């Protein structure tokens, strides 16, 4: 009987093709089985593992804490339930505990349990720190694009368009899809199309964004509707105020630029200058043998 290496190349190629086809068929069967399982679980109302874990965490926490964490996630631009934040905290704490305890055991430190507790605390606090940084960055990006949004809204209102149509027109003309204004406008327009009034949609946007500019816009729209004042004039005042704040922040950044440049010069250039100037004098002093 011929051994494997002595088989003709045609038979080897055919065997390879059959093996690849069999593996591909198994992959398709696994994908179809997984799809049928997920559809069956949705039909039966059962939850995946993540949702079950979130439900377990939700039963252990108070509704106020879960709602507060959900609002924090929403202000950071993350659409997830509040229980998921606690899951990430526990996962980060477990990872920090394992890493610090392993590092302490590797260097032979005493009481590795103390390092494990410190690592767990650092991991859990690191999730909150990352979330706060993401929220601050998102608010800064929203304030950066806010004057342009108010300018477009004022133009649409002056053209005679209602508020809902103006928001939809701004969304269709907005090019930067990564901007927080664009992502929030998508949700606002979707809610308005679903039948929610514009005032209520803007109030929900202000609560989810956590920025004073959006809350001021929502209040201005509500006061304009109740008092019968043209909304375009109010939007113009808000636009001027937003431009003034934007210009003031940019001017403050420019005024602080010399101090930053001085700090950079002292940290990176001053030591080199001192070395170049002082080393020859020190060498000359030592050679003089005083």
């Amino acid at each position: 009987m011929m051994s494997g290496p002595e088989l003709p190349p045609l038979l080897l190629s055919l065997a390879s093709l059959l093996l690849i086809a069999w593996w591909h068929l198994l992959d398709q069967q696994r994908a179809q089985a997984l799809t049928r399982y997920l559809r069956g679980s949705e039909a039966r109302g059962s939850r995946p593992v993540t949702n079950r874990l979130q439900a377990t965490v939700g039963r252990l926490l108070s509704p106020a804490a879960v709602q507060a964490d959900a609002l924090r996630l929403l202000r950071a631009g993350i659409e997830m339930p509040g229980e998921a934040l606690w899951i990430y905290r526990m996962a980060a704490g477990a990872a920090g505990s394992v890493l610090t305890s392993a590092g302490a055991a590797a260097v032979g430190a005493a009481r590795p349990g103390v390092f494990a507790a410190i690592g767990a605390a650092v991991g859990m606090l690191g999730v909150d720190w990352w979330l706060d940084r993401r929220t601050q960055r998102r608010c800064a990006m929203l304030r950066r694009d806010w004057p342009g949004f108010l300018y477009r809204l004022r133009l649409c209102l002056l053209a005679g368009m209602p508020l809902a149509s103006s928001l939809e027109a701004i969304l269709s003309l907005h090019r930067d899809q990564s901007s927080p204004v664009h992502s929030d406008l998508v949700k606002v327009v979707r809610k308005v199309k679903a039948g929610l009034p514009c005032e209520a949609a803007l109030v929900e946007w202000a609560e989810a964004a956590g920025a004073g500019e959006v809350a001021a816009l929502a209040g201005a729209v509500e006061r304009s509707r109740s008092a019968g004042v043209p909304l375009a004039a109010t939007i113009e005042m808000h636009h001027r105020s937003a431009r003034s704040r934007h210009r003031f922040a940019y001017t403050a950044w420019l005024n602080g630029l010399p101090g930053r440049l001085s700090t950079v010069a002292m940290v990176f250039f001053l030591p080199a200058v001192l070395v170049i100037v002082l080393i020859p004098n020190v060498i000359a002093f030592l050679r003089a043998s005083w």
Side-chain angles (χ1 to χ4, degrees), residues 77-98:
I78 304 173
E79 296 184 4
M80 294 176 61
E83 297 87 354
L85 182 58
W86 286 93
I87 295 175
Y88 282 113
R89 285 193 185 115
M90 291 186 291
S97 176
V98 170

Side-chain angles (χ1 to χ4, degrees), residues 68-80 131 135 138 184 187 191 204-205 207-210:
D69 289 334
L71 184 59
R72 289 185 61 190
L73 288 170
L74 193 60
R75 289 181 176 179
I78 304 173
E79 296 184 4
M80 294 176 61
L131 190 63
T135 304
R138 193 173 190 276
D184 291 345
K187 301 175 185 177
K191 292 177 182 178
E204 292 184 1
W205 182 15
E207 184 179 1

Side-chain angles (χ1 to χ4, degrees), residues 203-221:
V203 169
E204 292 184 1
W205 182 15
E207 184 179 1
E213 290 82 358
V214 187
L217 175 63
V221 171

Side-chain angles (χ1 to χ4, degrees), residues 74 120 137 247:
L74 193 60
R137 183 168 62 251
R247 190 181 300 109

Side-chain angles (χ1 to χ4, degrees), residues 151-174:
Y151 179 74
R152 297 185 184 95
L153 180 60
R154 174 176 170 269
L155 289 181
C156 293
L157 293 174
L158 288 176
M161 299 174 62
L163 182 58
S165 302
S166 301
L167 295 177
E168 189 174 356
I170 293 172
L171 180 61
S172 62
L173 296 175
H174 205 276

Side-chain angles (χ1 to χ4, degrees), residues 241-263:
S241 178
R243 288 292 300 270
S244 299
R245 287 194 299 268
H246 194 271
R247 190 181 300 109
F248 177 77
Y250 186 70
T251 305
W253 182 82
L254 286 179
N255 292 333
L257 191 59
R260 299 187 185 94
L261 292 178
S262 301
T263 303

Side-chain angles (χ1 to χ4, degrees), residues 33-50:
L34 181 59
T35 304
R36 288 194 300 268
Y37 172 74
L38 292 177
R39 290 178 179 176
S41 62
E42 291 177 359
R44 294 189 303 269
S46 60
R47 298 178 178 180
V49 178
T50 306

Side-chain angles (χ1 to χ4, degrees), residues 92-105 110-123:
S97 176
V98 170
L99 291 177
T100 51
S101 60
R111 298 180 179 179
V114 177
F115 290 95
I118 295 174
V122 170

